[in-house]
Structure formats: structure tokens, C-alpha cells
Amino acid sequence: MRAIITVVGKDNMGIIYNVTKILAAYRVNILDISQTILSSDIFAMIMLVNTASIAGEFTAMAAELKAYGEAEGYDIHVQREDVFNAMHTL
Amino acid sequence: MTKLAHNDILETIHMLDDQHLDVRTITMGISLLDCVSDDIDAVCRKIYDKITQKAANLVSCGEQIELEYGIPIVNKRISVTPISILANPFSPADCVKLALALDKAAAATGVNFLGGFSALVHKGYTKGDRALIAAIPEALAQTERLCSSVNIGTTKAGMNMDAVREMGQVIKQLAEKTADRDGFGCAKLVVFCNAPEDNPFMAGAFHGVGEPETAINVGVSGPGVVKYALEKVRGADFGTVSETIKKTAFKVTRMGQLVAQEASRRLHTEFGIVDLSLAPTPAVGDSVATILEEMGLECCGTHGTTAALALLNDAVKKGGVMATSYVGGLSGAFIPVSEDAGMIAAAEKGVLTIDKLEAMTCVCSVGLDMIVVPGDTPAATIAAIIADEAAIGMINQKTTAVRLIPAPGKKVGERVEFGGLLGSGPVQPVHRESSEAFVARGGRIPAPIHSLRN
């Protein structure tokens, strides 16, 4: 099962480190990362991950990432890839 | 790597975060035909047991899908077999017991509404229909989550004008019984012409007799998303407007289809239909009226509104139909006045009148929905409004419905608050001239000539 993680917020040191640390703890494999800085200081990252061998619950991992985002001022979404495929591909 | 473009991913996030994109409801239809008995206590026990068993995981499954897919699923609901079919041996007082059992089952499963306290009387009444309709005021006054509907006409059968007259009286009685909440009970009662058997939306949902044992029906939403998409094509011609709405409706419906498939798989229940609807909420930015205004109207209700709504309704269907394997329910744009911030504002200005709303219902999915009228409106006037609306449905071979709230003690210009998704509405004027003698005739209006299609 694959999921898309999006992280948007004010750029700060250690965002990627902190997000990937949580993913590694859950044994979630990162397949691809794309990251850019919008309008000079907005950090935007899209990750494609494989959760096939996740250690623990998908929803717990999503909640932990969301909690990290809320604490640090990032908008973090974790969604199964199917949503985007359904909406944007025929 | 994924074949998805980053823009597409961010567009979806933007729709969910800022444009109120959601799945409006997952509704589980449950057949109660096997709960029949001539012992009222046995029926109550059987329907409670069946509903709580079949829908035991409905709410938790919906919540799990929400978390995994990041899509808000606003309501989880249940629809059941029209209860009048089970009510044939019973009195109105017994029917109230059935209502309480249904309400208790709804509370036990955690759904916010259960629909199906219903009767289909378009051609005439059975004993059970009479008992159930007589019980509606008491049943809805005593319950929280129960919704009721009565089908009084079809294109095939014509209109049952005795039932039309009776429903005018039932609505008045129900308003009086819930007078402490400004007639709130009436928000849970819909009078239909051509009622669909697989509608997932309340208050009119029921699980028709042609439906399977259980089914998952999903209603999508997304007025905010359509409004935002149209902001980007300001001034463009109507071909562009239509194309933009179609593309947006396609995406919204694909999301609904995904949720419907996933929910039916997880609940081991047949996938019924996706209802291609634009259902507004009272939240700012989630209004059908503002879509019409975005097309160039100063205020919803002014000249041009019916044409704008016709285009919107048609484009939503054209975009949605390819996105799902089975379409059903009401499918189209909803115009419930109290549930739509733009409609409320237009009604308060006096631009959006009941007469204009009636015209709009000729080209959209439902009917005169969530309209507050003065508390002293006579039952015959309400019946005549139902008759007008049902005639539109009957002649145009479409579903029409009436959900009016004659708020006790309230006068034109006052405002009534229902709270939550039901919103608030200004009391709107109705014509004061009597329809009494018209409604008193009774009998049936015969089916129109174009019902003879065989």
C-alpha cells in the first residue's frame, strides 16, 4: 500500500529529518521525495511512501506526523495514494 | 514513482483544506422485510437487533476511511424499508413504538440520522400507511434521529390528493408538537413525488423494496470546489463554465466512488450507488447560491437564476456520470434554503422567494427544501404548495420534494435557528389567498399522458 505525505509550512531547519525519523520508526519506506521552497520561505514537500511493511497502525503513524506538524506549524497530510489516482487519472 | 503530478496532489489538498470538499454521507440501506410480525413488541425487537447488527461497524468504518484517505466523511447514516409495510397490523400508537425502536437503534449504532419512517401512497393508502402517517407528528416529536418521508405522487400513478391534504395537516401538527424548537420536527419530514429508492440523503432516505438486503449508497458534495473553479474562469462564455463544472464534478465524484467501494468492501455490503450531488452546508464558502452568483448574478433569486441553476445541474451530472459505475439517488444540485449561507442571505433580502424557488426546482434535483414559513400558514396552503411541487415532478418525470417548516408563532422577517447542518432560515412569505376549496376536493390527479410509454 502506498501513501502520499505532503508537508507545507514556513521553512525551518530539520523538517525532513524529523518527518523521516517518524517514518523510519514505523518502518515506512520512502520511495520518492520532492521538495521545493515557494515564495522564498514556504517549505513544500511531497513524499511517496510504501507502507506495506509498516510496524504499527497506519492511522497512528498519520496521527503522529500530524501532531508533529501542529506543534511545529506545518500542515501535514498523510493519505493513501488511491485518492489522488482516483481524482486525477482516468 | 507515482504518475501523479505535484499540482494534482496539491490541488486535492487545497480542495480538502480550503474548499470544504467532503463526502457528505455514507448511508447503509437495510431491508427490514424479514422483521414482519403481528406482535408489535416482536417487530420492535427484530428491527432493533437487525439494524444494530448490520450497521455495527458503519460509523467506525467510516471514521477509519476518513483517517486513511484524509477525506472528511461528514455523516454516517442508515436507511430502512418503508416502515408502513411493517405497520399493517398496527395502530398509530404502535407505530410510535416502532419509531422509538428505530431511534434507539440509530443511537446504538452512532449514526446521526436514520431514514425510512416512510409510506408510499401515490396511488392510495394501505392500513399500515394510514397508521404510520397518523403517527408521524408524535413519532418525530418523540425521537431525535428518525427521519420520515411520504411519497404522494409518481409520473406513473398520478397524485394522491387525499394524501396531499393530509400531509398539509401532518406538517402543521408536527410543527405544533415541536413548537418549543420552532417546529424543528418538520426538518425531519419530506413529502415526495417520484421518490428514489436508493437516496442516501436525509431526511428523505429510505431503502426501497427493489433494493438488496443491504447496500452502501454514498452522497458526494463540493459546492465550494465548484465555486473556486469558476472564480478562475471569470468572464468566460458558458461553454467554458460548463466544461469547468464538469471537470470538477468528475474529480469530486471519483472521490465518492472510491469511498463507496472501500466502504462496501470493508462492510461486506453491496455497493449501491453514488448520488452526484452538490449539497451545500451553512458554512461560508460551501454554498450553491454563491456558485450561481459567481456566474454573474448580483443575488441568487434574480432573473437568470433558473438558467444558471439548469446549467450547473446538468454539468454536475455530465461530469459525474463517467466517474462512477452506478449513479442514483437524487443526483443534482440541492437548494435547501436554511442550509446554504448564500440562499439565506438572498431570502433575507427578499430576492429569493418561494415562487422563484419553485421555478428553480424545475431544473435541479430536489424541491422546496428547508423553507421556513409563517406559523399561521393554513394546512390547506401547505398542501397546495406540496401539490404544485409534486405536479412539477409528475409532469417532468423527476423527483420533487417539499420540506417546509411552519414555525409556530413566527412571522415574516423573523429568523429561526436549527443549528448544525440544518442551519437557520428567515421566515418567508407565502400567498395569503386561500387554496382551501382546491385542496378539499381530494381524490387523485390522473397520471399524465406521457406516463403511457409502453
Side-chain angles (χ1 to χ4, degrees):
Chain A
M1 187 175 97
R2 309 204 304 183
I4 301 273
I5 300 173
T6 54
V7 183
V8 180
K10 199 169 170 352
D11 191 24
N12 258 318
M13 206 161 64
I15 306 175
I16 299 180
Y17 168 75
N18 285 309
V19 170
T20 51
K21 194 169 68 178
I22 295 171
L23 295 179
Y26 277 90
R27 302 196 55 76
V28 169
N29 189 28
I30 299 167
L31 302 174
D32 198 0
I33 300 183
S34 152
Q35 183 255 302
T36 182
I37 301 293
L38 307 167
S39 18
S40 84
D41 65 344
I42 301 294
F43 174 90
M45 173 166 71
I46 298 173
M47 301 173 103
L48 175 69
V49 301
N50 188 341
T51 58
S53 42
I54 191 167
E57 287 293 321
F58 179 90
T59 48
M61 182 260 298
E64 199 166 319
L65 283 168
K66 227 174 171 51
Y68 163 71
E70 273 161 22
E72 300 291 323
Y74 302 111
D75 206 4
I76 301 186
H77 290 267
V78 185
Q79 292 162 279
R80 286 176 58 164
E81 188 194 18
D82 312 3
V83 183
F84 303 97
N85 285 333
M87 286 178 80
H88 300 287
T89 58
L90 271 182
Chain B
M1 175 56 184
T2 175
K3 50 189 179 278
L4 292 161
H6 292 167
N7 285 347
D8 292 339
I9 293 174
L10 293 175
E11 182 193 50
T12 297
I13 302 278
H14 189 34
M15 284 178 177
L16 291 164
D17 273 6
D18 308 324
Q19 299 163 27
H20 305 280
L21 178 60
D22 54 49
V23 165
R24 185 50 47 85
T25 181
I26 297 184
T27 303
M28 179 184 258
I30 303 174
S31 168
L32 298 182
L33 289 171
D34 56 349
C35 300
V36 68
S37 165
D38 54 7
D39 172 354
I40 183 66
D41 296 324
V43 183
C44 288
R45 191 181 64 247
K46 284 181 179 187
I47 59 179
Y48 179 85
D49 289 349
K50 181 154 189 190
I51 292 168
T52 50
Q53 185 233 323
K54 292 283 180 191
N57 300 321
L58 174 63
V59 171
S60 59
C61 169
E63 285 167 354
Q64 186 69 21
I65 293 174
E66 266 184 275
L67 289 172
E68 284 181 31
Y69 291 86
I71 301 166
I73 300 170
V74 182
N75 299 297
K76 295 92 185 168
R77 294 168 168 175
I78 296 170
S79 63
V80 297
T81 305
I83 292 297
S84 73
I85 296 172
L86 280 67
N88 278 303
F90 304 130
S91 67
D94 288 338
C95 288
V96 175
K97 286 188 187 169
L98 291 171
L100 291 170
L102 290 165
D103 201 44
K104 200 171 129 203
T109 55
V111 297
N112 62 351
F113 281 121
L114 182 151
F117 196 74
S118 305
L120 311 177
V121 295
H122 35 272
K123 210 162 179 185
Y125 293 90
T126 62
K127 268 177 67 192
D129 294 332
R130 283 198 192 282
L132 181 124
I133 292 174
I136 288 174
E138 193 57 41
L140 293 192
Q142 284 197 30
T143 53
E144 267 304 305
R145 303 171 195 234
L146 186 64
C147 291
S148 174
S149 56
V150 175
N151 193 60
I152 52 82
T154 66
T155 301
K156 236 9 205 167
M159 282 162 58
N160 179 348
M161 291 300 287
D162 293 328
V164 168
R165 183 179 54 209
E166 186 176 3
M167 288 317 294
Q169 293 156 357
V170 166
I171 289 170
K172 286 286 284 183
Q173 290 160 11
L174 177 53
E176 287 303 329
K177 280 199 188 292
T178 51
D180 55 330
R181 296 168 73 189
D182 293 326
F184 174 75
C186 298
K188 299 184 288 177
L189 173 62
V190 182
V191 185
F192 272 117
C193 178
N194 290 326
E197 297 203 321
D198 51 9
N199 164 26
F201 285 101
M202 294 298 167
F206 63 86
H207 188 70
V209 288
E211 295 288 303
E213 185 66 16
T214 53
I216 288 291
N217 299 318
V218 164
V220 299
S221 180
V225 184
V226 173
K227 162 81 164 60
Y228 181 81
L230 288 184
E231 282 172 14
K232 300 203 154 177
V233 294
R234 243 171 224 171
D237 73 352
F238 283 113
T240 310
V241 171
S242 173
E243 278 304 306
T244 305
I245 298 169
K246 277 162 64 181
K247 284 181 188 155
T248 311
F250 177 82
K251 290 175 189 170
V252 169
T253 310
R254 287 277 283 196
M255 196 186 75
Q257 164 87 4
L258 176 71
V259 168
Q261 277 176 328
E262 197 57 27
S264 43
R265 189 181 65 78
R266 293 183 189 197
L267 291 164
H268 311 290
T269 303
E270 211 165 307
F271 163 39
I273 55 95
V274 174
D275 191 320
L276 314 174
S277 295
L278 281 186
T281 66
V284 173
D286 204 19
S287 153
V288 169
T290 56
I291 297 175
L292 307 179
E293 289 166 2
E294 180 60 42
M295 285 191 213
L297 302 169
E298 185 182 338
C299 179
C300 177
T302 190
H303 304 295
T305 301
T306 309
L309 182 59
L311 180 151
L312 172 66
N313 197 57
D314 185 59
V316 165
K317 287 185 215 167
K318 284 175 177 163
V321 76
M322 196 178 146
T324 175
S325 31
Y326 300 100
V327 181
L330 298 163
S331 285
F334 291 178
I335 51 169
V337 176
S338 79
E339 298 174 11
D340 184 309
M343 298 271 172
I344 295 168
E348 275 177 342
K349 276 190 210 163
V351 180
L352 185 63
T353 60
I354 290 185
D355 289 343
K356 187 63 182 180
L357 281 159
E358 185 182 310
M360 290 160 74
T361 64
C362 300
V363 299
C364 78
S365 78
V366 197
L368 296 173
D369 197 16
M370 289 303 288
I371 299 173
V372 186
V373 297
D376 62 358
T377 307
T381 299
I382 293 173
I385 293 171
I386 293 170
D388 280 345
E389 194 55 36
I392 291 171
M394 176 181 74
I395 296 294
N396 295 303
Q397 305 179 61
K398 71 185 286 294
T399 304
T400 48
V402 172
R403 187 161 49 146
L404 291 185
I405 299 107
K410 298 283 180 184
K411 297 197 164 42
V412 172
E414 290 184 77
R415 195 183 166 110
V416 172
E417 297 282 340
F418 297 117
L421 277 180
L422 296 170
S424 67
V427 180
Q428 294 189 249
V430 297
H431 294 293
R432 306 312 295 184
E433 293 74 15
S434 171
S435 313
E436 202 81 48
F438 175 78
V439 169
R441 286 177 183 268
R444 280 157 53 196
I445 293 183
I449 186 72
H450 55 261
S451 70
L452 306 173
R453 300 181 72 156
N454 291 345

